[in-house]
Amino acid sequence: MPYQPSIDVLFMTSPNNMQAVLGRGKNLVHGSAPLGVLAMAAVVEREGYSVQFLDAFALGLGVPQALEEIRRRRPLLVGISCLTADAVMTVELCQALRRDCPEIRIILGNTHARIFADYFVEQGLADFVCTGEGEYTVSELLDKLKHGGDLADVRGIVWSPSTGKALRNPDRPLIEDLDSLPMPARHLAPMDIYRAPFYFHYGKKAEGLMTSRGCPNQCAFCCVHGGRKPRYRNATLMVQEMDILAKQYGSDFLGFQDSLFMGNKRRVFEFSDLLRGRGHKVPWSCEGHVNFVDPKLLAAMRAAGCQVICFGIESGVQRLLERVNKKQKLERIEEAVRLTKEAGIKVFGLFMLGLPGETAADSATTIRFARRLGLDFAQFSIFSPYPGSQLFNELVAEGRIDPMAWDQFSAYPAFGKVRQIYAPEGRTPEDLKEWQRRAIWSFYLRPTQLLREMRKVHLSNIPEVIRATWSVLRMGH
């Protein structure tokens, strides 16, 4: 009997692989709504197609459980989001689908799938790979699959007509008018299970928002933007989405996930004015950049409820910042942190150890810099040359890394048994793990920082605090 789909498309995240990637560090990670996937689902649903969503990652599903869910829902097309951290599990799931459900079409999307599109198609792991923003690409593809038409006309996909060799269709232009897009299809997601870790949002029910795309910066370690033109939703829609999250989903802390939230100052001032005018009470956080900090902007943001700004500081060594094209000065970092704290906003600093050219002495300098800044929180990752970044391309060309060793790309190797794919000249992966442990212990096991952390604890998250503390103390064991 021919396969009879029950729905047009099932969007999903890859099965959960945190135990293998992070070991005990999985206690520090919580599922959050995948806004990119849900934004795509919202458009496809608006175009009239039947859509469902399966968050295999957040639900903790392995490949067998995810496969059973796909079988039960019977989609014509399954769309899987594939980042580098998910790649091994994505391959396993695609292999299982090919074996047990060969009639279901597979489309992959997101950064890792885009970089390795030819591989996924030519190995028969996917029928299609989306190479850009997928909202209208998937809608057009569904139209061809359901009603007939030439797949060569669908812009923004890699596919194989019949020969097994990948064919790359012309790119689809970026979506310029973000205001024309509906809000993410959160009604399809298990919103009740999403929450932020206690160390970011103090035990509150936090949700994320994405109100812009693109970033003009060209940091050599970034695998997402590549200098793409920034595009922004207007301030009124930002406030409307906050209202929905607060009233419909009970969120009492909101986090803007935009890579350059502060990049358009006029929009931030307008947004802040709107929030104050509406008497909005929900606190929020955002990603910042030290070069966009000024006292008037900070004051407006604080008056509108901003409680936390995360800065990508990366290193305490100017030479290393220049090496990765991070266009900021150490003096400016210190000034921006000081101004932000003076405005009454907490500061989270994001650092990377093991950048190209970094010595052990440089690692120690970065740790001292982080301690000296008076940050409320610091995150120390190990540099990983993720596919899609400039540094990935450079290191592959130099023969320094294996581009297909997908299970070795990890920013937190000290928590698990993953052997880091890259170490700077004269360093080893084991050395970097030790410096990551040293950085975390050195920053957090200080009386002043311990007191800051204790103030974040609520009765509701004491078990989580205990698990997270145990994970940190047992790093490397």
Side-chain angles (χ1 to χ4, degrees), residues 273-291:
D273 289 342
L274 284 172
L275 283 184
R276 289 199 307 274
R278 294 164 65 97
H280 211 286
K281 301 298 182 185
V282 180
W284 51 278
S285 66
C286 69
E287 302 274 335
H289 192 295
V290 299
N291 292 341

Side-chain angles (χ1 to χ4, degrees), residues 31-289:
S32 59
L35 297 177
V37 178
L38 296 178
M40 187 160 44
V43 170
V44 175
E45 188 175 52
R46 186 181 67 180
E47 295 293 307
Y49 297 100
S50 53
V51 180
Q52 291 185 15
F53 170 65
L54 173 64
D55 198 339
F57 177 86
L59 292 170
L61 304 184
V63 169
Q65 295 90 347
L67 184 63
E68 184 56 37
E69 275 294 312
I70 296 168
R71 275 204 204 97
R72 183 178 68 81
R73 301 183 190 216
R74 299 181 62 81
L76 168 66
L77 178 71
V78 61
I80 307 170
S81 174
C82 179
L83 295 168
T84 300
D86 312 323
V88 172
M89 299 300 284
T90 301
V91 168
E92 288 187 24
L93 179 60
C94 290
Q95 290 171 336
L97 276 169
R98 287 299 194 218
R99 181 185 66 243
D100 296 350
C101 308
E103 60 282 341
I104 296 177
R105 301 292 193 99
I106 302 171
I107 182 169
L108 303 181
N110 221 322
T111 308
H112 191 87
R114 173 175 57 82
I115 300 304
F116 294 99
D118 289 6
Y119 171 85
F120 281 113
V121 169
E122 292 177 356
Q123 293 297 311
L125 295 167
D127 298 285
F128 315 99
V129 173
C130 181
T131 58
E133 296 175 337
E135 284 87 347
Y136 298 111
T137 297
V138 175
S139 297
E140 186 176 348
L141 176 61
L142 281 169
D143 179 69
K144 303 294 186 189
L145 293 177
K146 293 190 68 174
H147 305 117
D150 192 348
L151 293 174
D153 294 335
V154 181
R155 302 181 74 175
I157 62 169
V158 172
W159 63 297
S160 178
S162 59
T163 61
K165 185 171 178 58
L167 174 67
R168 187 172 295 264
N169 287 2
D171 291 337
R172 184 175 296 274
L174 296 175
I175 299 171
E176 292 290 340
D177 182 11
L178 298 189
D179 292 343
S180 68
L181 300 177
M183 293 181 189
R186 294 184 175 92
H187 61 281
L188 300 177
M191 295 295 291
D192 56 317
I193 71 171
Y194 298 136
R195 60 192 179 91
F198 75 93
Y199 48 85
F200 262 89
H201 298 304
Y202 316 105
K204 297 182 177 181
K205 180 171 171 48
E207 300 293 349
L209 304 86
M210 183 77 74
T211 67
S212 67
R213 296 182 183 183
C215 176
N217 296 319
Q218 296 183 327
C219 301
F221 52 79
C222 179
C223 64
V224 178
H225 297 297
R228 287 191 300 176
K229 174 185 174 182
R231 292 149 291 145
Y232 300 94
R233 284 176 83 87
N234 72 56
T236 299
L237 290 176
M238 293 167 67
V239 175
Q240 288 177 3
E241 189 167 356
M242 293 180 75
D243 284 340
I244 290 171
L245 288 169
K247 295 173 182 177
Q248 187 172 334
Y249 296 104
S251 304
D252 52 12
F253 198 102
L254 300 173
F256 288 93
Q257 299 175 9
D258 309 57
S259 296
L260 199 60
F261 179 85
M262 301 168 67
N264 185 327
K265 290 188 178 183
R266 185 172 65 178
R267 185 184 78 136
V268 177
F269 276 118
E270 183 183 355
F271 165 71
S272 300
D273 289 342
L274 284 172
L275 283 184
R276 289 199 307 274
R278 294 164 65 97
H280 211 286
K281 301 298 182 185
V282 180
W284 51 278
S285 66
C286 69
E287 302 274 335
H289 192 295

Side-chain angles (χ1 to χ4, degrees), residues 270-403:
E270 183 183 355
F271 165 71
S272 300
D273 289 342
L274 284 172
L275 283 184
R276 289 199 307 274
R278 294 164 65 97
H280 211 286
K281 301 298 182 185
V282 180
W284 51 278
S285 66
C286 69
E287 302 274 335
H289 192 295
V290 299
N291 292 341
F292 289 89
V293 167
D294 72 61
K296 289 183 178 179
L297 186 66
L298 293 172
M301 293 168 64
R302 182 68 187 93
C306 180
Q307 288 192 355
V308 180
I309 298 180
C310 301
F311 291 118
I313 297 172
E314 318 310 351
S315 178
V317 180
Q318 189 64 50
R319 167 178 54 82
L320 296 177
L321 293 176
E322 292 168 2
R323 170 66 181 88
V324 298
N325 203 32
K326 185 75 177 183
K327 296 179 179 178
Q328 57 189 27
K329 299 293 185 182
L330 295 178
E331 297 79 7
R332 180 56 180 161
I333 294 171
E334 294 186 84
E335 180 185 35
V337 171
R338 175 180 59 80
L339 290 172
T340 304
K341 292 179 71 67
E342 288 177 355
I345 300 173
K346 294 180 173 64
V347 181
F348 288 7
L350 311 178
F351 297 86
M352 279 192 284
L353 301 172
L355 291 168
E358 183 176 298
T359 65
D362 292 332
S363 299
T365 297
T366 291
I367 295 170
R368 287 195 300 270
F369 187 62
R371 287 165 54 100
R372 189 173 78 240
L373 286 173
L375 303 168
D376 296 278
F377 175 88
Q379 177 177 295
F380 297 93
S381 64
I382 298 296
F383 163 69
S384 192
Y386 284 109
S389 68
Q390 175 187 325
L391 287 171
F392 170 82
N393 295 333
E394 290 178 9
L395 293 170
V396 168
E398 295 168 5
R400 298 285 306 280
I401 62 173
D402 177 2

